[in-house]
Amino acid sequence: MTSVRVFFVGGLMSYRAMFGWLNPWILIPSLIVSPICQILLFAYIGRSAGVRDDEFYVIGNALNYAAIPCLFAMSSTIEGERQGHTLGIVLTTPARRIPLFLGRALPVIVNGWGVAVVGVVAGVLLLDAHIPGSAWPALLLVVLVTSASCTGLGLAMGAVVLRVREGATFGNVVFCVLLVFCGVNVALEDLPGWMAAVGTWLPLTHGIEAGRLLADGSTLGGVGGLVFREIGVGALYTAAGLALLGYFERDSRRRATLDRV
Amino acid sequence: MRQVLHQQAVCYWLQLRVLSTSPFEGFLAVLFPLMFATAALLVYSVNGDPVAMQYAGLGAAIMGMWTCQGVVASSLLTRERWAGTLELLVAAPTPLSRILVPITMAMSTIGLYCVVATMLWQSWVFDLRLEIESWPLFVLSVLMAAVTLAQVGFFLSVTAVRYRTSWALGAALEYPGWLLCGFLIPVDLLPVWIQPLSWAIPTTWAMDAIRSAADGGSPWGSLAVCAATGAVYAVLAAYLGKRLVDSARRNASLALT
C-alpha cells in the first residue's frame, strides 16, 4: 500500500513541483508554442526542399517533441531535489526505489502524450495534413507507447544526472540525437545506413514509423511489430535506468557527492 | 569617452569568458543549432539538388547566431537576478544599457563561433563547400548580422525584465526566429500575412545581404535596411529599458520575489 501511495502521490507532487506549481508562463511557451513551431519549421523546410508531405513532418516532429518533457522531467526531478537540498532525504527514506522513480515517470508519460497530441492536432489544423478519423484511436495509443519509451530513456538520463551536474545541457544533447537519428524528418531509408542502424536502438524511431503508417491508412495490427519494438526499446532503457539509478545512488553515497552542485 | 570604451571592453571580455565556459550558454548554444542545421541539411540532401544545398548551407551556417542571442538574451536579467547581482547592476552609476550592450555583443560573438563551426561541419560531414563570390562582403554581412542581433538581444533582455520565467520565453522564440528570418526557408514561401513580421527583424535583411554577397550581387541595400531596423530596436530598448527599470525600482519589484 505504501508503495502504491509513493507511486501515485509522490509522482504527482514531484511533477507539480518541477513546473513551479504548473506555472502557465512556463507550460505554454515550452510545451505548446515550441512544438507547434518546430512542426511548422520542418514542414516548411520539407516544402522548400520538395521532400515528403506535411503529414510526414507533423507526425515526426510532434512525436519528437514528446521526448522533451519525457527526457527533461525525469532528470529535472532529480536535479530539482538536489537544488532543493531534498535529494539526500528522498534517498535515505526506506521507500522502495522502483515505485519512487516509476511514480515520477507516470505523469511525465501523460504529459509527453499530451504534448504530442497537441502537436499533431495543431499540425493537422494549420498545415495540409490529413489523418483519417479511423486512425486516431490507434495513433493515440502509439503516441502513448512512444512517450513511455522516451520516459525510459529519461529515467536512464535521470540516473546519469546523479553524477553529471549539467542535466539541462545533457537533455538537450540527447534530444538532438533523437532529432537526427530517429527518422523524425528524414525517413530511415534516406538516412545513411549507420545512422539508421543507431536509430533502431533509440526510442521514438519505431513509434514514428508506426504513426506515419497509421496516418496513411494502416491498421493497428499492421503496425503491431513496430509498436512491440518500441515497447521493447523503452523497456530496455527503463531497466538500464533503474540499474543505473541503483549504481549511482550507491556510488554517490560512497563518495559523498549526492548534494554537490 | 575613454572610460566608456574601457567599461565596454572590460564588460564584453568578462561576459565572453563567462559565456564561453558555460556548458549551457557556450557549448549548447553552438551544438543545438548545429544539430538542427544537420537535420535540415539531411532533408535537403534527399533530393541532392546542389543549388538547394547551397541555399540551405548558407542559412544553416547563420541560424545559430539567432539561438545564441534569442534564447540567452531573454533570460539575461533573470540570470543576474538568480545570481543576486541585478540590484547591484541597476544601482551602479553606469547606466544599465551600457552594461547590457556588451553582454549581448559577447553573445553575438558566440554566434560567430557557431557560424564557423557550422561551416566546418558542413564541409566535413556533408562535403558541402559554400560558394562565396565576395568574401569581404560576406564577412561584412555576417558581422552586420551579429551587431544587429546584439541590438535585438538588448531589446529582448529589457522587455523581459518583469517576466519571471523569461528563459521559457527565450526558448520559445528559437523556432519562430528560424522560421521567419529566411535561414532555411525563403520568406516568400511563408503565408503572406506573416511576411511583414519577417521583414521587421534585422536578421532577415542580414540573411538577404549574406545571400547577395555569396551570389555576387550587391548586399548594400539590404545592409542599409538591416542597420536601420537594428537601430530602431536599439533606440526602443534604450527607451523601454529606462522606463521599465525605473518602474521596477519605484514599485520595488526588481527582485520579483
Side-chain angles (χ1 to χ4, degrees):
Chain A
M1 192 61 199
T2 307
S3 290
V4 173
R5 194 168 53 81
V6 166
F7 183 85
F8 285 105
V9 179
L12 184 63
M13 284 177 70
S14 164
Y15 178 76
R16 292 184 67 192
M18 186 190 68
F19 274 103
W21 310 103
L22 290 178
N23 186 340
W25 292 103
I26 299 175
L27 201 80
I28 293 170
S30 306
L31 299 181
I32 294 177
V33 176
S34 289
I36 294 173
C37 289
Q38 185 181 318
I39 290 166
L40 292 174
L41 174 72
F42 279 101
Y44 274 96
I45 288 174
R47 286 181 186 185
S48 172
V51 178
R52 307 278 177 177
D53 55 9
D54 287 353
E55 185 191 290
F56 181 87
Y57 298 101
V58 168
I59 302 271
N61 289 284
L63 281 168
N64 178 233
Y65 222 87
I68 284 274
C70 298
L71 294 175
F72 281 80
M74 291 312 295
S75 58
S76 295
T77 48
I78 290 175
E79 265 204 325
E81 299 281 8
R82 183 186 287 124
Q83 281 170 2
H85 302 291
T86 48
L87 184 60
I89 297 168
V90 168
L91 293 181
T92 48
T93 59
R96 291 174 60 210
R97 294 301 183 255
I98 290 182
L100 184 72
F101 287 110
L102 288 188
R104 284 154 197 249
L106 187 66
V108 173
I109 293 169
V110 177
N111 191 24
W113 179 84
V115 169
V117 171
V118 166
V120 175
V121 171
V124 167
L125 293 175
L126 297 172
L127 294 165
D128 189 19
H130 175 70
I131 297 172
S134 58
W136 279 94
L139 184 62
L140 295 179
L141 180 70
V142 165
V143 173
L144 187 67
V145 167
T146 310
S147 300
S149 149
C150 286
T151 307
L153 178 60
L155 192 66
M157 253 184 63
V160 175
V161 167
L162 276 175
R163 175 66 68 80
V164 176
R165 306 298 172 213
E166 288 292 338
T169 307
F170 185 44
N172 275 297
V173 171
V174 175
F175 174 69
C176 289
V177 169
L178 296 180
L179 177 83
V180 174
F181 284 85
C182 291
V184 174
N185 294 299
V186 181
L188 282 190
E189 61 263 25
D190 290 329
L191 280 176
W194 69 273
M195 288 178 75
V198 171
T200 55
W201 287 95
L202 292 170
L204 270 187
T205 309
H206 305 295
I208 289 175
E209 209 176 334
R212 283 180 182 142
L213 288 172
L214 287 169
D216 287 340
S218 282
T219 60
L220 188 58
V223 297
L226 288 169
V227 174
F228 279 114
R229 259 178 272 168
E230 186 69 31
I231 292 171
V233 170
L236 194 71
Y237 281 100
T238 306
L242 287 171
L244 282 172
L245 273 168
Y247 170 74
F248 282 124
E249 184 190 335
R250 284 190 300 276
D251 195 55
S252 302
R253 283 170 186 244
R254 197 165 49 240
R255 293 165 183 264
T257 55
L258 205 58
D259 278 328
R260 192 183 291 168
V261 250
Chain B
M1 187 63 188
R2 204 170 149 212
Q3 260 187 337
V4 172
L5 287 176
H6 181 253
Q7 176 266 325
Q8 294 284 297
V10 169
C11 191
Y12 168 81
W13 181 240
L14 276 174
Q15 289 294 329
L16 185 61
R17 289 177 69 180
V18 169
L19 291 171
S20 302
T21 52
S22 159
F24 191 81
E25 286 145 348
F27 167 72
L28 193 63
V30 176
L31 182 92
F32 195 78
L34 187 66
M35 289 296 106
F36 271 79
T38 304
L41 287 170
L42 282 168
V43 175
Y44 274 97
S45 67
V46 171
N47 282 344
D49 176 2
V51 178
M53 283 299 282
Q54 179 75 10
Y55 178 90
L58 268 177
I62 309 298
M63 66 191 269
M65 295 181 81
W66 177 265
T67 302
C68 294
Q69 199 60 248
V71 179
V72 187
S74 303
S75 55
L76 198 159
L77 291 179
T78 303
R79 196 181 58 172
E80 299 293 346
R81 185 177 288 125
W82 286 344
T85 48
L86 182 58
E87 286 87 348
L88 295 173
L89 290 182
V90 170
T94 307
L96 188 64
S97 56
R98 267 176 42 197
I99 298 169
L100 294 180
V101 168
I103 301 179
T104 56
M105 285 300 291
M107 291 173 191
S108 277
T109 308
I110 300 285
L112 293 175
Y113 287 167
C114 206
V115 174
V116 175
T118 312
M119 287 173 78
L120 292 173
W121 179 261
Q122 288 176 164
S123 166
W124 292 333
V125 177
F126 291 92
D127 200 19
L128 176 64
R129 278 168 187 79
L130 297 180
E131 286 166 22
I132 311 288
E133 283 288 324
S134 168
W135 276 100
L137 288 177
F138 175 79
V139 172
L140 178 71
S141 303
V142 171
L143 291 176
M144 181 63 90
V147 171
T148 52
L149 261 169
Q151 290 165 332
V152 173
F154 177 31
F155 177 78
L156 286 175
S157 65
V158 293
T159 47
V161 66
R162 301 281 285 272
Y163 193 169
R164 194 189 300 264
T165 54
S166 56
W167 60 267
L169 175 74
L173 285 175
E174 185 152 42
Y175 299 119
W178 287 347
L179 195 58
L180 291 171
C181 293
F183 296 124
L184 298 163
I185 308 150
V187 174
D188 299 343
L189 204 65
L190 297 173
V192 175
W193 60 269
I194 212 167
Q195 290 178 19
L197 191 56
S198 287
W199 297 117
I201 305 170
T203 321
T204 311
W205 295 99
M207 196 62 233
D208 202 46
I210 288 165
R211 290 198 196 283
S212 297
D215 293 344
S218 168
W220 294 108
S222 297
L223 284 177
V225 184
C226 177
T229 45
V232 170
Y233 279 91
V235 170
L236 269 176
Y239 172 74
L240 280 176
K242 190 161 168 34
R243 294 290 300 270
L244 288 170
V245 169
D246 282 352
S247 162
R249 293 179 77 165
R250 204 166 37 245
N251 297 307
S253 58
L254 199 61
L256 288 179
T257 47

